[in-house]
Amino acid sequence: MEHYAAIIGWGMSVPRRVVTNDELARQIDTSNEWIRSRTGIGERRIASADEYTSVLATAASQQAIERAGIAPEAIDLVILATSTPDRPFPATASVIQAQLGIPRAGAFDVVAACSGFVYGLHIANSMIQSGAHQTILLVAADLFSHILNWHDRNTCVLFGDGAGAVVLQQRDQPLGLLSAVLGSAGEYESLMLIERGGTRQPLSAENSHLQDRYFSMHGREVFKHAIREMALSSQQAIEEAGLQPDAINLIIPHQANLRIIEVLIKRLEIPFKRVFVNLERYGNTSAASVPIALCEAVEQGQLHDGDHVLLTSFGGGFTWASAVVRWGR
Ligand code: ACO
């Protein structure tokens, strides 16, 4: 019998501290007007010292498990999508597993930048479809505030911290992921990266003051690729799900820039009223952006049983991923 992976629980957690555009404008050479008109972002959440990756990820997961109405012991695999783990080693997924009191479930991290959640969804779905796992916790958490250069106005105004989670469970009816398209173009690595701090260019006492230990991005170039790849992979995902664009009830795109979203949906010929956008309040939370938006869309009553939702994301690597989900438990 064919198996499907329904999303049966959803949750999110963002830091307490709100940082507005005006607050940033008091620290660096920028303005509320520039940030809003170029990106659509109004404010973001920034983590305090006690709100590290596993703390936000565990809180989002607890909410998702509660909404799923299952005991933590029912979970047999924990997947965390992040580019900003608690520590370089070991994987933060194991910390979350222990914090949640899930005994002995497998746990690992997925690193695919802003596309990490949709990559994770594809992995979790395949694990459930194969019959290897029954109930999977997929959580995405990123704290870009720790890797940003807070003097670089080109990047630091764009991001926020947060976590979003879902619980997937095996079903025999066609619910959950109907299609997924993943892609990567490593030749563009240099357009969005942290140059130093890995094995290729290690950090040392001599170079630790250099700016290249922080995230850097060629925004204009990334903008063009993001639209192209999200549009192409979305069209492919809709087609592979056996649907027409007008059968998509809601699009939840990566929340990086309102202008990217506007051009994207024009290309997909889907009206703006069918797009969920919350970047005004959170900025770009990287891997967490799609599940945070998904969680808010469900809580605001924008998804109903049987609806088709398109998820699409783009990030460092480059990586991109689009998926069509049939909503319902
Ligand atoms: N405040 C004021 N001025 C600024 C700021 C700022 N915060 N940042 C840049 N500027 C200036 C620039 O210096 C430049 O000035 P210049 O013309 O004198 O050199 C001017 O504004 C215009 O810069 P552009 O780069 O052309 O601005 P653009 O309209 O392209 O917007 C942005 C920049 C918002 C970064 C946009 O390119 C973008 O959103 N790119 C895509 C980002 C993205 O989607 N990332 C995806 C994934 S992220 C991940 O994976 C982690």
Side-chain angles (χ1 to χ4, degrees):
M1 182 184 290
E2 211 169 329
H3 299 304
Y4 297 89
I7 295 176
I8 64 162
W10 48 88
M12 60 176 278
S13 175
V14 290
R16 297 178 294 268
R17 187 168 161 233
V18 177
V19 175
T20 61
N21 291 344
D22 284 332
E23 187 175 338
L24 287 179
R26 287 195 288 275
Q27 291 153 16
I28 52 168
D29 181 16
T30 189
S31 65
N32 177 41
E33 198 282 326
W34 191 96
I35 301 171
R36 270 189 194 273
S37 62
R38 298 294 176 119
T39 70
I41 298 166
E43 60 187 40
R44 72 284 295 141
R45 301 297 183 100
I46 299 296
S48 304
D50 61 342
E51 296 172 310
Y52 38 90
T53 304
S54 63
V55 172
L56 295 183
T58 300
S61 302
Q62 278 164 335
Q63 209 178 63
I65 293 169
E66 208 177 294
R67 290 203 175 112
I70 59 164
E73 300 82 54
I75 291 167
D76 53 17
L77 188 67
V78 177
I79 304 173
L80 169 69
T82 189
S83 303
T84 50
D86 276 6
R87 298 189 170 95
F89 176 91
T92 305
S94 297
V95 179
I96 297 163
Q97 180 228 349
Q99 289 292 327
L100 291 170
I102 303 171
R104 304 186 64 77
F108 61 91
D109 288 3
V110 170
V111 187
C114 303
S115 312
F117 177 79
V118 186
Y119 265 64
L121 207 55
H122 179 60
I123 296 167
N125 181 65
S126 305
M127 298 281 212
I128 288 178
Q129 260 183 344
S130 73
H133 291 272
Q134 273 73 48
T135 307
I136 299 180
L137 170 68
L138 168 63
V139 50
D142 264 321
L143 274 68
F144 264 49
S145 61
H146 286 267
I147 58 171
L148 292 171
N149 176 355
W150 285 96
H151 300 292
D152 176 13
R153 68 177 184 173
N154 292 295
T155 53
C156 76
V157 303
L158 304 174
F159 295 91
D161 300 333
V166 293
V167 175
L168 297 121
Q169 196 167 57
Q170 194 185 83
R171 293 286 183 269
D172 297 331
Q173 319 89 286
L175 293 171
L177 209 66
L178 301 183
S179 65
V181 176
L182 312 187
S184 174
E187 62 272 28
Y188 297 112
E189 177 197 37
S190 63
L191 294 182
M192 211 176 351
L193 88 173
I194 300 175
E195 188 69 59
R196 195 175 295 280
T199 56
R200 187 162 166 177
Q201 297 205 47
L203 270 178
S204 66
E206 290 73 42
N207 65 34
S208 66
H209 63 286
L210 297 175
Q211 303 301 316
D212 62 3
R213 70 185 189 282
Y214 296 115
F215 175 86
S216 71
M217 178 170 73
H218 294 268
R220 221 174 290 180
E221 285 299 306
V222 172
F223 194 98
K224 285 185 274 183
H225 288 275
I227 292 169
R228 180 188 142 82
E229 301 304 348
M230 284 196 286
L232 286 174
S233 58
S234 292
Q235 281 157 344
Q236 199 182 332
I238 294 169
E239 201 179 305
E240 287 183 14
L243 300 172
Q244 297 294 326
D246 61 6
I248 298 297
N249 304 91
L250 193 68
I251 304 184
I252 300 186
H254 176 43
Q255 307 284 313
N257 186 317
L258 186 59
R259 288 188 296 147
I260 292 180
I261 294 173
E262 284 167 349
V263 180
L264 171 71
I265 61 145
K266 237 182 229 158
R267 289 219 186 150
L268 294 176
E269 296 179 357
I270 294 179
F272 195 77
K273 61 175 193 276
R274 287 201 222 150
V275 183
F276 189 84
V277 179
N278 66 357
L279 59 80
E280 201 271 339
R281 285 175 293 123
Y282 302 121
N284 178 352
T285 55
S286 187
S289 99
V290 170
I292 288 176
L294 176 69
C295 184
E296 290 201 332
V298 182
E299 289 307 299
Q300 291 173 20
Q302 296 204 30
L303 270 174
H304 310 98
D305 285 358
D307 277 0
H308 293 119
V309 54
L310 170 71
L311 311 176
T312 183
S313 55
F314 181 89
F318 293 150
T319 56
W320 57 87
S322 296
V324 175
V325 170
R326 182 173 292 145
W327 196 251
R329 324 204 235 182

